[in-house]
Amino acid sequence: MGLISLLTTNPTAFVIIAVALALSLTVHEFAHAWTADRLGDPTPRRYGRVTLNPARHLDPFGTLLLLIAGFGFARPVPINPNNLGRWGTLWVSAAGPISNLLIAFVAAVLLRVLPANQITDLVLLYVLSINVVLAVFNLIPIPLLDGSRILGALVPSLGRSLAQFEAQPFSFVIVMLFIFIARDPIGNIISSVQRWVLTTVGVGL
């Protein structure tokens, strides 16, 4: 079920989740772009992606999917692996999920140190949950996701095959089908990571 259903059932939750998602996706893509830029690849800067402006990162179709179907995507940051090398490409790919995990930990720390407040706690819990979802989801080692590029950097021969698969016009459909089929185990992993983040900073469950 997409976010759009919350407009009538829980408009407050809709606004919180929509804003948190937009900002979290923006930080995720910015982390890719900033890391590539720092490692010597001018491609993201050339395309105006080394910015925290959401308009430069959000994809209209991906956002629409998010509202209607409950999953979506931002605009991938263009990079040139030839400028980065094997390990540079790995760090650029990992930067997005790492940024989301850092945001989740910050939200968990704030939950612990700030005085209890219904609205503040709700916002922080949504932020934590959304960023754990983004981190875990993007680390799945299948084409079109960051996990695939990390795996490709670790195993170059496999990386070439994954890149060839990504270039196929049907790759998006196959990946979405896999995610739909595997949604239960993926959900279990996400729940486990959320509990780990909370318990690591000492937030009671």
Side-chain angles (χ1 to χ4, degrees), residues 13-167:
F14 173 84
V15 172
I16 294 171
I17 294 173
V19 172
L21 264 172
L23 295 178
S24 299
L25 286 168
T26 295
V27 171
H28 179 102
E29 297 303 331
F30 168 77
H32 286 311
W34 181 85
T35 304
D37 187 66
R38 295 292 293 179
L39 291 177
D41 182 10
T43 310
R45 186 170 294 277
R46 188 180 306 129
Y47 283 87
R49 302 299 297 275
V50 189
T51 176
L52 285 169
N53 179 2
R56 303 298 300 177
H57 298 293
L58 298 182
D59 180 270
F61 179 65
T63 303
L64 182 64
L65 266 182
L66 195 63
L67 292 172
I68 297 174
F71 63 86
F73 52 88
R75 293 168 56 202
V77 172
I79 64 170
N80 185 345
N82 293 326
N83 293 328
L84 295 165
R86 176 183 174 186
W87 300 113
T89 301
L90 185 149
W91 281 112
V92 170
S93 301
I98 289 173
S99 72
N100 294 127
L101 279 177
L102 289 175
I103 293 173
F105 271 106
V106 170
V109 170
L110 291 175
L111 276 170
R112 180 177 181 180
V113 301
L114 292 179
N117 177 280
Q118 185 176 1
I119 298 299
T120 302
D121 291 352
L122 181 64
V123 170
L124 290 173
L125 283 170
Y126 275 132
V127 169
L128 187 151
S129 178
I130 286 168
N131 279 278
V132 169
V133 169
L134 288 174
V136 172
F137 177 77
N138 278 283
L139 284 173
I140 299 173
I142 58 176
L144 303 178
L145 300 180
D146 296 327
S148 171
R149 295 177 176 92
I150 293 171
L151 180 61
L154 292 172
V155 187
S157 58
L158 183 58
R160 287 188 288 272
S161 298
L162 292 171
Q164 290 173 356
F165 178 85
E166 283 191 18

Side-chain angles (χ1 to χ4, degrees), residues 178-190:
F178 169 82
I179 292 170
F180 177 78
I181 293 172
R183 63 189 184 279
D184 288 338
I186 293 173
N188 291 336
I189 295 172
I190 288 170

